[in-house]
Amino acid sequence: MNPPISSPDLMLDSVFRTSLDGILVCRAIRNQTRQIVDFRVVQCNDRASGIAGISREDMLTKSMLTVDPDGHQSGIFDVYRQVIETGLPTHIEHHFASSGIWMAQSLARLNEEDILASWADITPQKRAEQARQQQTDLLQAILDNMGSGIAVMESVRDASGTVVDFRFAHLNTKAELITRRAKEILIGQLCTVAWPDSRTNGVLDWHLQVIRTAAPVTVNGVNLPVDDYNGWYNIRLRPFGDGVIVTFVDVTALKRAEIAHQHQTELLRSVLDNSLNPILAFSAIRDEITGQIVDFRYVAQNEASRQDVDRTDDEVIGHTMLEYFPHVMPTGLFDRYVRVIETGEPVRFEQEYNYDKLSGWFDYSVSKWGDGIVLTLVDITGRKGHQQQIEQMNRDLLNANENLRQFAYVASHDLQEPLRKIAAFSNILQDQFSPQLGGYGADIITRMVAATNRMSTLIKDVLAYSRISTHRESFQMVSLNQLLIDICHSFQEDLHKRGGRIEMETLPTVWGDGHQLNHLFHHLLANAMKFHSTLRPAHIQINCRSVSGNNGPPDLNPTDTYYEISLTDNGIGFDEKYVDRIFQVFQRLHDRQLYSGTGVGLAICKRVVENHRGAITATSLPGEGATFRVYLPKSVGQ
């Protein structure tokens, strides 16, 4: 939504200067480990310094815990810290010890380091609340049993015969409880003696009015303190002989509930107004004949809505939705609102709206409220733009994958075909014309055949690497134990020749692509066999354990758990400064004449574990063998 056109800095400055509430911006103070240890005020208005009882200069130079040393004990520091860390606005009440006042604080995070705080002095309300709470605690037992009291009052006249007072003639048990006077004490006592305040609080006047007019008097919801009990009463007085009968009912509980409801309403409005998103309530307008919903009427809106559409409550309350937002009809929003009322089911959806002072993409949340709706809008224009960028990147990635597939096709067909012909013609030359070519010519042919074979192997490895990225089978449960047993069998002949052996623990079943996992462990075992030491028989150990993500490589999710499958050999090893290099495509650490290969195998291993949301690492010392550790998620679909 578009805010009213004005300078943010001028608007903020105007709010700071004119607000009746204290407004300040607090910035987090962090230690070397980035933990919040205090806050300092970077901007505040005079009202804030007045509420705090501290000069504005002191507030801007001293930290929170310096100004309020009890901040940790009272919990206010933790509240400020949580607002920064969670980004969730909050509303709290806090006793400021230095000035002895109570404050209502509304806190909202401005950015990663700053909080906007709004302070309101609620000391009078808080003291009144504390006083009421004390009275409630003292009188709770009596309040539980109060009903209606009845008192018979006799007129007392002066020398001229004018009624000037009343004397208690009779009270029932409830009256004793309500007046907190024993019957023996009140009967025969003057009203003005028992309650001197009756001359000024209206009680005596009501009695005199009944005598003067001979008509009943009813007073509802009157506040009359009785000793230390500040109660609310419904009172009815009517003529009775030469006096009056008074019936009174204690309605304090109802009155307090009414006040509490009023406070709750005010609190709800405060919470709504503190929301950064527009919230609106509408009641349905129905056709008198058909009963169909033809429009909606504004019932309420929060401050965010007032700001976004630049309309006050007086301008919108009572008006209709179509009066201010006629485009809800052609955009289909009106029909969605109607369905929410008809079905009672809330809906949430995203839709673009560029009419009626609103422009952009919005997240709509609509729920039924009586015969109406409550509508919440969240401006997601920025997020939507980012999402569209991601979708474009995905399309670009699909195009890149398609190009890679085309390359794979060319590599597997068009490039292999001429190599096969070169190899075939080279073999013919070698077999049939070797005597004519002489020793030098035969050597050239041998080198050409070797180069052709290397080129063919390289193309096959590149093709295998590309297929790891572009061709994936559906994930399923794969038994690593059986998979490694099958792979080890394929190396039995080489192991037998070298007098080597493979020792393997029982391995788990994981969620993955069986074809890719076969590639992974086949390359790792082939690598261990290739780089064996000529000084000792090859010995390969395969072990497994469970580890948490925070105990593995940095690529892992620290909150998840993984299987760590390690393959340890006693081969020639390598210098660990090359550990990152060995997992890159076409990177080799050893002479091709001594150790064959294209430098693609470990790159394929790395790509496989990445496809499975895992990781791979290696440790080694030259001449002492190497250990490759593969990390695969334990959870299905993790």
Side-chain angles (χ1 to χ4, degrees):
M1 297 177 210
N2 289 328
I5 300 174
S6 73
S7 167
D9 291 336
L10 290 176
M11 179 178 293
L12 182 60
D13 182 66
S14 176
V15 171
F16 266 69
R17 286 187 293 100
T18 62
S19 176
L20 295 178
D21 291 338
I23 300 179
L24 60 160
V25 176
C26 296
R27 181 161 297 162
I29 300 174
R30 298 180 183 270
N31 61 17
Q32 293 181 347
T33 62
R34 299 293 298 161
Q35 291 179 325
I36 298 175
V37 296
D38 207 339
F39 289 86
R40 63 184 180 91
V41 177
V42 296
Q43 193 172 1
C44 72
N45 61 1
D46 292 337
R47 179 58 178 155
S49 64
I51 292 175
I54 303 171
S55 68
R56 189 168 180 270
E57 291 72 17
D58 282 348
M59 290 192 70
L60 293 174
T61 56
K62 295 182 179 179
S63 70
M64 172 192 286
L65 295 179
T66 302
V67 173
D68 185 9
D70 294 331
H72 272 303
Q73 184 175 356
S74 65
I76 188 68
F77 170 79
D78 289 334
V79 174
Y80 273 65
R81 177 177 56 77
Q82 289 169 8
V83 170
I84 284 287
E85 292 176 348
T86 66
L88 298 176
T90 189
H91 181 86
I92 60 170
E93 293 179 359
H94 174 60
H95 183 253
F96 205 91
S98 63
S99 58
I101 67 172
W102 282 88
M103 290 184 295
Q105 299 193 38
S106 293
L107 307 176
R109 188 175 74 180
L110 292 176
N111 51 51
E112 295 293 332
E113 301 297 330
D114 295 339
I115 289 179
L116 177 65
S118 175
W119 289 359
D121 186 351
I122 59 169
T123 305
Q125 300 97 305
K126 201 66 180 179
R127 288 175 179 170
E129 177 184 327
Q130 291 172 340
R132 287 195 299 271
Q133 185 62 44
Q134 291 172 357
Q135 294 168 355
T136 301
D137 294 340
L138 292 174
L139 301 172
Q140 188 61 51
I142 297 176
L143 290 172
D144 289 341
N145 296 287
M146 279 189 174
S148 298
I150 299 176
V152 179
M153 313 292 291
E154 297 176 343
S155 299
V156 177
R157 302 175 183 272
D158 62 10
S160 64
T162 303
V163 177
V164 294
D165 206 341
F166 295 85
R167 180 177 285 110
F168 286 96
H170 179 74
L171 296 92
N172 68 352
T173 303
K174 290 296 183 182
E176 286 186 283
L177 294 174
I178 294 175
T179 61
R180 305 188 66 176
R181 298 288 193 278
K183 188 182 300 184
E184 294 78 8
I185 296 175
L186 284 180
I187 292 178
Q189 193 174 52
L190 294 177
C191 176
T192 56
V193 172
W195 283 281
D197 289 342
S198 63
R199 293 185 182 276
T200 58
N201 61 15
V203 173
L204 182 60
D205 292 336
W206 300 332
H207 288 68
L208 295 174
Q209 181 181 341
V210 172
I211 295 297
R212 185 173 61 252
T213 63
V217 171
T218 300
V219 182
N220 290 328
V222 61
N223 179 215
L224 294 173
V226 179
D227 295 337
D228 60 348
Y229 176 66
N230 188 22
W232 299 78
Y233 303 92
N234 290 342
I235 302 175
R236 179 175 174 80
L237 306 93
R238 63 181 183 275
F240 179 72
D242 192 33
V244 296
I245 291 181
V246 183
T247 303
F248 43 100
V249 179
D250 187 341
V251 294
T252 304
L254 294 176
K255 190 65 178 180
R256 287 177 177 172
E258 178 184 337
I259 296 172
H261 177 71
Q262 181 180 353
H263 290 169
Q264 187 70 19
T265 301
E266 293 172 355
L267 176 61
L268 176 60
R269 175 164 292 279
S270 176
V271 171
L272 292 176
D273 285 344
N274 202 39
S275 171
L276 298 178
N277 302 315
I279 302 174
L280 307 94
F282 295 93
S283 62
I285 300 176
R286 297 182 178 271
D287 184 278
E288 294 182 356
I289 299 176
T290 64
Q292 293 182 332
I293 298 175
V294 295
D295 204 342
F296 291 91
R297 193 178 307 280
Y298 264 100
V299 176
Q301 66 173 346
N302 69 343
E303 182 61 26
S305 174
R306 299 183 196 103
Q307 296 293 331
D308 283 350
V309 300
D310 194 22
R311 296 189 182 102
T312 66
D313 287 351
D314 292 338
E315 290 177 299
V316 298
I317 303 302
H319 292 262
T320 68
M321 179 185 292
L322 295 180
E323 181 179 347
Y324 286 120
F325 299 99
H327 287 91
V328 296
M329 279 290 193
T331 56
L333 290 171
F334 186 88
D335 292 337
R336 285 179 178 265
Y337 300 157
V338 171
R339 281 197 295 273
V340 169
I341 295 181
E342 291 176 344
T343 64
E345 297 180 358
V347 297
R348 184 171 181 178
F349 58 92
E350 297 177 359
Q351 186 166 324
E352 188 175 15
Y353 193 87
N354 293 306
Y355 316 94
D356 314 317
K357 292 190 176 184
L358 295 178
S359 179
W361 277 88
F362 298 93
D363 183 336
Y364 295 78
S365 179
V366 191
S367 58
K368 185 175 181 181
W369 170 65
D371 193 32
I373 59 171
V374 173
L375 171 64
T376 303
L377 299 176
V378 179
D379 191 339
I380 58 171
T381 305
R383 189 186 79 192
K384 202 68 177 179
H386 182 62
Q387 178 181 343
Q388 291 171 344
Q389 291 177 353
I390 292 176
E391 291 173 352
Q392 181 60 46
M393 292 173 63
N394 286 336
R395 288 192 290 269
D396 294 341
L397 182 60
L398 289 175
N399 291 333
N401 285 338
E402 180 59 31
N403 292 334
L404 191 58
R405 279 191 289 271
Q406 293 292 336
F407 165 76
Y409 177 82
V410 171
S412 61
H413 294 82
D414 297 356
L415 294 181
Q416 292 280 14
E417 179 60 26
L419 285 176
R420 283 193 291 271
K421 289 184 177 179
I422 292 172
F425 289 138
S426 299
N427 290 331
I428 292 173
L429 287 173
Q430 197 172 35
D431 294 340
Q432 300 182 16
F433 299 98
S434 180
Q436 293 91 325
L437 294 175
Y440 179 69
D443 181 61
I444 291 176
I445 295 298
T446 300
R447 293 187 181 187
M448 183 170 64
V449 170
T452 303
N453 291 335
R454 285 199 305 272
M455 186 63 180
S456 178
T457 301
L458 181 61
I459 291 174
K460 291 178 181 177
D461 286 348
V462 171
L463 176 61
Y465 182 77
S466 67
R467 289 179 65 86
I468 290 296
S469 300
T470 59
H471 293 75
R472 299 184 186 179
E473 298 178 357
S474 298
F475 275 31
Q476 57 187 350
M477 300 307 296
V478 178
S479 171
L480 293 184
N481 205 63
Q482 186 60 48
L483 185 144
L484 265 296
I485 289 174
D486 294 341
I487 295 174
C488 290
H489 281 314
S490 67
F491 289 102
Q492 284 300 318
E493 186 176 346
D494 284 346
L495 284 170
H496 181 71
K497 290 179 180 179
R498 298 167 183 169
R501 71 184 191 279
I502 298 176
E503 295 180 356
M504 184 180 76
E505 291 182 351
T506 301
L507 300 180
T509 298
V510 299
W511 181 253
D513 181 332
H515 181 72
Q516 290 191 8
L517 292 174
N518 187 286
H519 269 291
L520 167 65
F521 290 104
H522 187 277
H523 280 296
L524 290 177
L525 281 172
N527 202 64
M529 295 290 295
K530 181 194 303 182
F531 297 105
H532 75 280
S533 173
T534 58
L535 303 177
R536 51 189 175 269
H539 180 202
I540 302 171
Q541 290 181 300
I542 303 174
N543 303 101
C544 179
R545 65 171 185 153
S546 295
V547 298
S548 61
N550 56 7
N551 291 325
D555 296 338
L556 301 182
N557 187 334
T559 62
D560 293 333
T561 54
Y562 296 81
Y563 290 116
E564 180 193 84
I565 299 104
S566 60
L567 287 86
T568 302
D569 63 59
N570 61 345
I572 64 173
F574 60 88
D575 193 329
E576 284 193 6
K577 68 181 181 181
Y578 301 115
V579 68
D580 292 329
R581 177 179 168 185
I582 63 175
F583 293 108
Q584 297 175 10
V585 181
F586 306 132
Q587 296 298 314
R588 296 174 50 86
L589 301 184
H590 303 285
D591 193 328
R592 184 186 297 109
Q593 303 301 324
L594 297 177
Y595 299 97
S596 63
T598 59
V600 178
L602 290 180
I604 289 176
C605 293
K606 188 173 189 299
R607 182 56 59 90
V608 169
V609 295
E610 289 174 347
N611 289 346
H612 287 73
R613 297 186 180 180
I616 184 170
T617 62
T619 57
S620 179
L621 287 175
E624 297 185 14
T627 297
F628 286 82
R629 292 180 174 86
V630 174
Y631 297 86
L632 298 175
K634 293 187 69 172
S635 301
V636 174
Q638 184 172 299

